[in-house]
Amino acid sequence: TGTFNFGGGYSTEDGVGGFGELRLTNFDIANWPTFSGGGQQLRLRVNESQHRDQYSLSFTEPEFLGYPVSLGTDLFDERYDVTGGAHYTEAQKGGQLRFGKSLSPYVQATLGLLYQDTEISGIPWYANREIRSQEGSSTTIGPRGTIERNTLDNKYDPTKGSWHILSLQWAGVGGDNNFVKLEQDSTWYRPIADGQKWVLSARMRNGIMDSYGSSEDVPLQDRFYAGGTNTVRGYENRDIGPKVKEYQVLFVKWGDTFATGGNMRMIYNFEAKYKVTKDLRLYGFVDAGGVWEDAGDFNFGDFRYSAGVGLGFNVPMLGPIRVDYGFPLNPDDTQSSSGRLHLATGYKF
């Protein structure tokens, strides 16, 4: 009922890093000094890398006061060094109180109240005004509801089934930021040959948000981005969507372009997987995605497409390694036309 994992790895976006995780599934917060036997869940995770540090603590009571409703809380402290054009540091601290209810063996609904304090620092005085205006501290407070349906046959290497998540966040119950964000994330898996060696998968992610009230814009940290390992491979991280010149003095702008994110995003991934052996996988994929400053700016011509191949394998005592090489099919004038390698590893002991 308890596990402890630790290890390290490398990813294209975050660089070299390490992690440690303690997970207890039979925890009892009231049973001192053993703290066991209550069926509660406790998770403590530390993740440090060259560009991102994450610390989190989660606690869940699966049957609050004897009712089939879960009660949980999450605390987090994260830091992310944003790179690409103007560099700055994004630090977030906060917590969430959540209630969950199983609606069926496959469907779970969750309602939470989030408090988040964000500090953006390290922006040079000569950075673009649109970026520099985001510097400083702000708080986001509001509810977030999620409904999830999961019928996957395997959590780590699925062959069939689907996973759907629909979430709505309303920021503005106190705090500095006022916005509404709606997100949808669906993934399907289907075997196409005997022995389930060939598996097709498709993923669709759509999101839209808007500010209201006293907030003129959605803050940088909450906007949508695309490009990179987890969205549209073949492009650099956050390289798809609205951009500005990184530097500005008076009315003169110069330097590289820098992604500022948007209020609308659409991402589609299609993948074919071939299981060579128990521990070796070959992949072929096609990705598409776009980000727009506002929903009214949507244009099919802004979609960016890529295609590529990948290799995934498990190394004994090291864990999974995934290497993808994506080719941008229609980059714009600010994007590289060369292929890009995406590497992610993670091993535990």
Side-chain angles (χ1 to χ4, degrees), residues 154-312:
N154 186 290
K155 180 179 180 180
Y156 301 103
D157 188 22
T159 299
K160 59 182 178 180
S162 61
W163 191 3
H164 307 279
I165 302 173
L166 181 65
S167 66
L168 176 65
Q169 181 182 1
W170 172 33
V173 185
D176 304 306
N177 301 315
N178 303 281
F179 63 87
V180 178
K181 177 190 289 188
L182 177 65
E183 295 181 87
Q184 170 266 328
D185 188 348
S186 296
T187 308
W188 297 266
Y189 294 88
R190 182 180 178 86
I192 59 173
D194 293 338
Q196 297 183 338
K197 282 186 170 293
W198 282 98
V199 178
L200 293 181
S201 64
R203 186 178 186 184
M204 176 175 65
R205 282 171 282 178
N206 298 303
I208 188 169
M209 71 175 78
D210 199 4
S211 58
Y212 69 92
S214 60
S215 295
E216 297 183 0
D217 301 298
V218 177
L220 276 176
Q221 69 273 8
D222 292 299
R223 297 178 189 175
F224 293 119
Y225 297 90
T229 302
N230 297 317
T231 52
V232 183
R233 289 159 285 190
Y235 296 86
E236 294 184 6
N237 190 38
R238 295 188 173 188
D239 202 29
I240 296 174
K243 300 174 184 176
V244 297
K245 289 291 186 178
E246 59 181 330
Y247 303 127
Q248 178 179 1
V249 174
L250 297 178
F251 299 103
V252 180
K253 301 178 182 180
W254 77 97
D256 295 331
T257 56
F258 181 80
T260 56
N263 288 356
M264 180 178 178
R265 181 177 73 172
M266 303 173 71
I267 297 175
Y268 305 98
N269 310 101
F270 304 92
E271 192 167 272
K273 174 174 64 177
Y274 178 68
K275 300 180 181 181
V276 181
T277 67
K278 179 182 178 182
D279 297 316
L280 179 62
R281 307 285 188 267
L282 298 178
Y283 301 89
F285 61 84
V286 175
D287 296 337
V291 176
W292 296 268
E293 186 171 354
D294 291 299
D297 300 323
F298 173 78
N299 188 322
F300 279 108
D302 295 330
F303 269 96
R304 293 292 170 256
Y305 303 92
S306 69
V309 294
L311 176 67

Side-chain angles (χ1 to χ4, degrees), residues 21 25 27 32 36-37 43 63 74 76 80 83 88 93 118 180-181 235-236 270 296 307:
E21 181 185 63
T25 58
F27 187 74
W32 187 89
S36 63
R43 179 176 178 265
E63 293 188 351
D74 308 296
F76 58 87
Y80 177 44
T83 59
Y88 63 87
K93 299 179 181 179
T118 302
V180 178
K181 177 190 289 188
Y235 296 86
E236 294 184 6
F270 304 92

Side-chain angles (χ1 to χ4, degrees), residues 233-235 285 305-309 325-330 337-340:
R233 289 159 285 190
Y235 296 86
F285 61 84
Y305 303 92
S306 69
V309 294
Y325 194 87
F327 300 87
L329 300 180
N330 63 333
S337 60
S338 302
R340 184 170 177 81

